[in-house]
Amino acid sequence: MAYTFQVTIDSAEPHVLADWWADALGWEVESSDEAFIRRMIEDGRATEEDTTTHRGTLVWKAGTGIRHPEGLDRAPRVLFQYVGDAKTVKNRVHLDVRTGSDDPKAVVERLIAKGARHLHDASQGPYTWTTLADPQGNELCVSH
């Protein structure tokens, strides 16, 4: 049997980082179901401490996801989950952002303008890429 998967990224501020990545990829942040959250609190299945407000909307403090605008059949979901520990070492897994027909240098410049940090440029044979860190230090590569 084949399985599906989602990519999970630990984050000190999952909603802020989900916004950044949704913008970086042209994806969509999943909407919050405030009525469901309130029902869970009323039913005693959650507490007010499990929630926060992000951009004026009641959300789960634990995190949020982003999706490709064409849905989960097009690409796996990316979940940003709250983890209070600071990142201390290089990622063992990272996202490669493939720009297709868009100029990767322009994408790199746009991401840096939005808070990414340039780490290094690299190449191997005919392949070149730029390694960045997102606003919370997670590495990503940008290439064609």
Side-chain angles (χ1 to χ4, degrees):
M1 171 182 221
Y3 300 103
T4 61
F5 66 93
Q6 72 180 4
V7 176
T8 303
I9 297 175
D10 295 344
S11 172
E13 297 177 285
H15 296 277
V16 172
L17 197 58
D19 288 345
W20 189 89
W21 274 99
D23 180 65
L25 297 173
W27 286 24
E28 300 167 348
V29 176
E30 295 175 344
S31 60
S32 178
D33 186 342
E34 293 184 68
F36 174 76
I37 294 172
R38 287 190 179 93
R39 273 196 318 276
M40 291 297 101
I41 294 169
E42 289 170 7
D43 292 348
R45 296 177 183 217
T47 66
E48 293 288 341
E49 290 75 34
D50 295 325
T51 70
T52 190
T53 302
H54 178 68
R55 295 186 174 197
T57 301
L58 183 68
V59 296
W60 293 114
K61 190 182 290 183
T64 191
I66 65 172
R67 295 173 184 230
H68 190 283
E70 295 176 21
L72 295 177
D73 289 338
R74 179 73 167 88
R77 176 180 194 248
V78 179
L79 173 69
F80 297 86
Q81 72 178 6
Y82 174 76
V83 173
D85 301 333
K87 181 180 175 304
T88 58
V89 297
K90 183 182 181 331
N91 294 13
R92 295 295 301 232
V93 174
H94 67 269
L95 300 183
D96 283 346
V97 177
R98 297 178 297 188
T99 63
S101 61
D102 289 349
D103 176 13
K105 290 181 181 169
V107 173
V108 166
E109 289 173 9
R110 182 175 65 83
L111 296 179
I112 289 172
K114 297 235 178 227
R117 186 170 38 93
H118 180 268
L119 298 178
H120 58 83
D121 295 304
S123 65
Q124 185 173 30
Y127 305 103
T128 61
W129 63 92
T130 300
T131 302
L132 303 174
D134 73 17
Q136 293 187 21
N138 302 298
E139 290 93 358
L140 63 133
C141 293
V142 178
S143 65
H144 270 293

Short mmCIF file of all heavy atoms in Angstrom, two decimals, residues 97-129:
data_model
loop_
_atom_site.label_atom_id
_atom_site.label_comp_id
_atom_site.label_asym_id
_atom_site.label_seq_id
_atom_site.Cartn_x
_atom_site.Cartn_y
_atom_site.Cartn_z
N VAL A 97 12.54 24.84 -3.68
CA VAL A 97 11.55 25.60 -4.41
C VAL A 97 12.00 25.65 -5.86
O VAL A 97 13.03 26.25 -6.18
CB VAL A 97 11.40 27.03 -3.83
CG1 VAL A 97 10.41 27.85 -4.64
CG2 VAL A 97 10.97 26.95 -2.36
N ARG A 98 11.27 24.98 -6.73
CA ARG A 98 11.60 24.94 -8.16
C ARG A 98 10.77 25.99 -8.87
O ARG A 98 9.54 25.91 -8.87
CB ARG A 98 11.36 23.55 -8.71
CG ARG A 98 12.29 22.52 -8.02
CD ARG A 98 12.05 21.15 -8.50
NE ARG A 98 10.67 20.75 -8.14
CZ ARG A 98 10.18 19.55 -8.29
NH1 ARG A 98 10.93 18.59 -8.79
NH2 ARG A 98 8.94 19.27 -7.95
N THR A 99 11.43 26.93 -9.52
CA THR A 99 10.76 28.12 -10.05
C THR A 99 10.15 27.92 -11.43
O THR A 99 9.47 28.82 -11.92
CB THR A 99 11.74 29.29 -10.11
OG1 THR A 99 12.79 28.97 -11.02
CG2 THR A 99 12.30 29.61 -8.74
N GLY A 100 10.37 26.78 -12.08
CA GLY A 100 9.81 26.58 -13.41
C GLY A 100 10.32 27.62 -14.37
O GLY A 100 11.53 27.84 -14.46
N SER A 101 9.42 28.33 -15.04
CA SER A 101 9.85 29.32 -16.03
C SER A 101 10.20 30.67 -15.40
O SER A 101 10.71 31.56 -16.08
CB SER A 101 8.76 29.51 -17.09
OG SER A 101 7.58 29.99 -16.47
N ASP A 102 9.92 30.87 -14.12
CA ASP A 102 10.28 32.12 -13.45
C ASP A 102 11.79 32.16 -13.20
O ASP A 102 12.42 31.13 -12.96
CB ASP A 102 9.55 32.27 -12.12
CG ASP A 102 8.06 32.53 -12.28
OD1 ASP A 102 7.64 32.81 -13.42
OD2 ASP A 102 7.34 32.45 -11.28
N ASP A 103 12.35 33.35 -13.23
CA ASP A 103 13.78 33.54 -13.00
C ASP A 103 14.10 33.26 -11.53
O ASP A 103 13.60 33.96 -10.64
CB ASP A 103 14.16 34.97 -13.36
CG ASP A 103 15.62 35.31 -13.08
OD1 ASP A 103 16.42 34.38 -12.82
OD2 ASP A 103 15.95 36.50 -13.12
N PRO A 104 14.93 32.25 -11.24
CA PRO A 104 15.21 31.94 -9.83
C PRO A 104 15.88 33.10 -9.10
O PRO A 104 15.65 33.28 -7.90
CB PRO A 104 16.12 30.71 -9.90
CG PRO A 104 16.51 30.54 -11.31
CD PRO A 104 15.57 31.31 -12.15
N LYS A 105 16.68 33.90 -9.79
CA LYS A 105 17.31 35.05 -9.12
C LYS A 105 16.27 36.05 -8.67
O LYS A 105 16.38 36.63 -7.59
CB LYS A 105 18.34 35.70 -10.05
CG LYS A 105 19.56 34.82 -10.25
CD LYS A 105 20.58 35.47 -11.16
CE LYS A 105 21.74 34.49 -11.31
NZ LYS A 105 22.67 34.87 -12.33
N ALA A 106 15.24 36.26 -9.48
CA ALA A 106 14.16 37.18 -9.09
C ALA A 106 13.39 36.62 -7.89
O ALA A 106 13.01 37.37 -6.99
CB ALA A 106 13.22 37.42 -10.27
N VAL A 107 13.19 35.31 -7.87
CA VAL A 107 12.50 34.68 -6.74
C VAL A 107 13.34 34.84 -5.48
O VAL A 107 12.83 35.20 -4.42
CB VAL A 107 12.19 33.20 -7.03
CG1 VAL A 107 11.64 32.50 -5.80
CG2 VAL A 107 11.22 33.09 -8.20
N VAL A 108 14.65 34.61 -5.59
CA VAL A 108 15.55 34.77 -4.44
C VAL A 108 15.47 36.21 -3.93
O VAL A 108 15.33 36.45 -2.72
CB VAL A 108 17.00 34.39 -4.81
CG1 VAL A 108 17.98 34.88 -3.75
CG2 VAL A 108 17.12 32.88 -4.99
N GLU A 109 15.54 37.17 -4.81
CA GLU A 109 15.48 38.59 -4.40
C GLU A 109 14.15 38.90 -3.70
O GLU A 109 14.13 39.60 -2.69
CB GLU A 109 15.65 39.50 -5.61
CG GLU A 109 17.06 39.50 -6.16
CD GLU A 109 17.20 40.27 -7.47
OE1 GLU A 109 16.23 40.95 -7.88
OE2 GLU A 109 18.28 40.17 -8.09
N ARG A 110 13.05 38.36 -4.22
CA ARG A 110 11.74 38.59 -3.61
C ARG A 110 11.68 37.99 -2.21
O ARG A 110 11.20 38.62 -1.26
CB ARG A 110 10.63 38.00 -4.49
CG ARG A 110 9.22 38.27 -3.94
CD ARG A 110 8.14 37.77 -4.89
NE ARG A 110 8.12 36.35 -5.06
CZ ARG A 110 7.53 35.48 -4.24
NH1 ARG A 110 6.92 35.91 -3.15
NH2 ARG A 110 7.53 34.19 -4.50
N LEU A 111 12.21 36.77 -2.06
CA LEU A 111 12.16 36.12 -0.75
C LEU A 111 13.05 36.84 0.26
O LEU A 111 12.69 36.98 1.43
CB LEU A 111 12.55 34.65 -0.88
CG LEU A 111 11.58 33.80 -1.71
CD1 LEU A 111 12.08 32.37 -1.79
CD2 LEU A 111 10.17 33.86 -1.16
N ILE A 112 14.21 37.31 -0.18
CA ILE A 112 15.08 38.07 0.71
C ILE A 112 14.39 39.37 1.13
O ILE A 112 14.44 39.75 2.31
CB ILE A 112 16.45 38.32 0.05
CG1 ILE A 112 17.24 37.00 -0.02
CG2 ILE A 112 17.24 39.40 0.80
CD1 ILE A 112 18.52 37.07 -0.82
N ALA A 113 13.72 40.03 0.21
CA ALA A 113 12.99 41.26 0.54
C ALA A 113 11.88 40.99 1.56
O ALA A 113 11.50 41.88 2.32
CB ALA A 113 12.41 41.89 -0.72
N LYS A 114 11.37 39.75 1.60
CA LYS A 114 10.30 39.37 2.53
C LYS A 114 10.84 38.75 3.82
O LYS A 114 10.07 38.21 4.62
CB LYS A 114 9.35 38.40 1.84
CG LYS A 114 8.66 39.01 0.65
CD LYS A 114 7.19 38.86 0.82
CE LYS A 114 6.47 39.51 -0.33
NZ LYS A 114 5.39 40.32 0.16
N GLY A 115 12.16 38.75 4.01
CA GLY A 115 12.70 38.29 5.29
C GLY A 115 13.60 37.08 5.25
O GLY A 115 14.12 36.67 6.29
N ALA A 116 13.79 36.46 4.08
CA ALA A 116 14.73 35.33 3.99
C ALA A 116 16.16 35.86 4.09
O ALA A 116 16.42 37.05 3.86
CB ALA A 116 14.53 34.57 2.69
N ARG A 117 17.09 34.97 4.41
CA ARG A 117 18.50 35.33 4.50
C ARG A 117 19.29 34.46 3.54
O ARG A 117 19.10 33.24 3.50
CB ARG A 117 18.98 35.10 5.94
CG ARG A 117 20.37 35.55 6.25
CD ARG A 117 20.66 35.52 7.75
NE ARG A 117 20.06 34.39 8.46
CZ ARG A 117 20.68 33.22 8.68
NH1 ARG A 117 21.90 33.02 8.26
NH2 ARG A 117 20.05 32.26 9.32
N HIS A 118 20.16 35.08 2.75
CA HIS A 118 21.01 34.34 1.80
C HIS A 118 22.08 33.59 2.57
O HIS A 118 22.77 34.15 3.42
CB HIS A 118 21.67 35.32 0.81
CG HIS A 118 22.53 34.66 -0.19
ND1 HIS A 118 23.88 34.48 0.01
CD2 HIS A 118 22.24 34.11 -1.39
CE1 HIS A 118 24.39 33.85 -1.04
NE2 HIS A 118 23.40 33.62 -1.90
N LEU A 119 22.21 32.29 2.30
CA LEU A 119 23.25 31.49 2.94
C LEU A 119 24.41 31.23 1.99
O LEU A 119 25.56 31.49 2.32
CB LEU A 119 22.68 30.17 3.47
CG LEU A 119 21.60 30.30 4.54
CD1 LEU A 119 21.08 28.93 4.94
CD2 LEU A 119 22.14 31.05 5.76
N HIS A 120 24.11 30.70 0.78
CA HIS A 120 25.17 30.48 -0.20
C HIS A 120 24.58 30.07 -1.55
O HIS A 120 23.43 29.66 -1.64
CB HIS A 120 26.18 29.43 0.28
CG HIS A 120 25.57 28.09 0.58
ND1 HIS A 120 25.31 27.15 -0.37
CD2 HIS A 120 25.16 27.55 1.75
CE1 HIS A 120 24.77 26.08 0.18
NE2 HIS A 120 24.66 26.30 1.47
N ASP A 121 25.40 30.20 -2.58
CA ASP A 121 25.07 29.72 -3.92
C ASP A 121 25.91 28.48 -4.17
O ASP A 121 27.05 28.39 -3.69
CB ASP A 121 25.38 30.78 -4.97
CG ASP A 121 24.50 32.01 -4.81
OD1 ASP A 121 23.27 31.86 -4.82
OD2 ASP A 121 25.04 33.12 -4.66
N ALA A 122 25.38 27.53 -4.94
CA ALA A 122 26.11 26.29 -5.19
C ALA A 122 25.77 25.78 -6.58
O ALA A 122 24.79 26.20 -7.20
CB ALA A 122 25.76 25.24 -4.13
N SER A 123 26.60 24.87 -7.05
CA SER A 123 26.33 24.21 -8.33
C SER A 123 26.94 22.82 -8.30
O SER A 123 27.87 22.54 -7.55
CB SER A 123 26.90 25.02 -9.50
OG SER A 123 28.30 25.06 -9.41
N GLN A 124 26.36 21.98 -9.12
CA GLN A 124 26.88 20.63 -9.31
C GLN A 124 26.56 20.26 -10.74
O GLN A 124 25.39 20.14 -11.11
CB GLN A 124 26.24 19.65 -8.32
CG GLN A 124 26.84 18.26 -8.39
CD GLN A 124 26.29 17.38 -7.27
OE1 GLN A 124 25.17 17.55 -6.83
NE2 GLN A 124 27.10 16.45 -6.84
N GLY A 125 27.60 20.15 -11.56
CA GLY A 125 27.39 19.90 -12.98
C GLY A 125 26.59 21.05 -13.57
O GLY A 125 26.88 22.22 -13.31
N PRO A 126 25.54 20.75 -14.32
CA PRO A 126 24.75 21.82 -14.94
C PRO A 126 23.73 22.46 -13.99
O PRO A 126 23.04 23.40 -14.36
CB PRO A 126 24.02 21.10 -16.08
CG PRO A 126 23.85 19.72 -15.56
CD PRO A 126 25.09 19.43 -14.74
N TYR A 127 23.63 21.98 -12.76
CA TYR A 127 22.60 22.44 -11.83
C TYR A 127 23.16 23.51 -10.90
O TYR A 127 24.26 23.38 -10.37
CB TYR A 127 22.06 21.27 -11.00
CG TYR A 127 21.55 20.16 -11.86
CD1 TYR A 127 22.29 19.00 -12.05
CD2 TYR A 127 20.33 20.28 -12.53
CE1 TYR A 127 21.82 17.98 -12.86
CE2 TYR A 127 19.86 19.27 -13.34
CZ TYR A 127 20.61 18.13 -13.51
OH TYR A 127 20.15 17.13 -14.33
N THR A 128 22.39 24.58 -10.71
CA THR A 128 22.77 25.63 -9.76
C THR A 128 21.58 25.90 -8.85
O THR A 128 20.43 25.71 -9.24
CB THR A 128 23.16 26.94 -10.49
OG1 THR A 128 22.04 27.40 -11.23
CG2 THR A 128 24.34 26.72 -11.41
N TRP A 129 21.87 26.35 -7.65
CA TRP A 129 20.81 26.69 -6.71
C TRP A 129 21.34 27.69 -5.70
O TRP A 129 22.54 27.86 -5.53
CB TRP A 129 20.25 25.46 -6.01
CG TRP A 129 21.23 24.72 -5.16
CD1 TRP A 129 21.46 24.91 -3.82
CD2 TRP A 129 22.14 23.69 -5.58
NE1 TRP A 129 22.45 24.05 -3.38
CE2 TRP A 129 22.88 23.29 -4.45
CE3 TRP A 129 22.39 23.06 -6.78
CZ2 TRP A 129 23.85 22.29 -4.49
CZ3 TRP A 129 23.36 22.08 -6.83
CH2 TRP A 129 24.06 21.70 -5.71
#
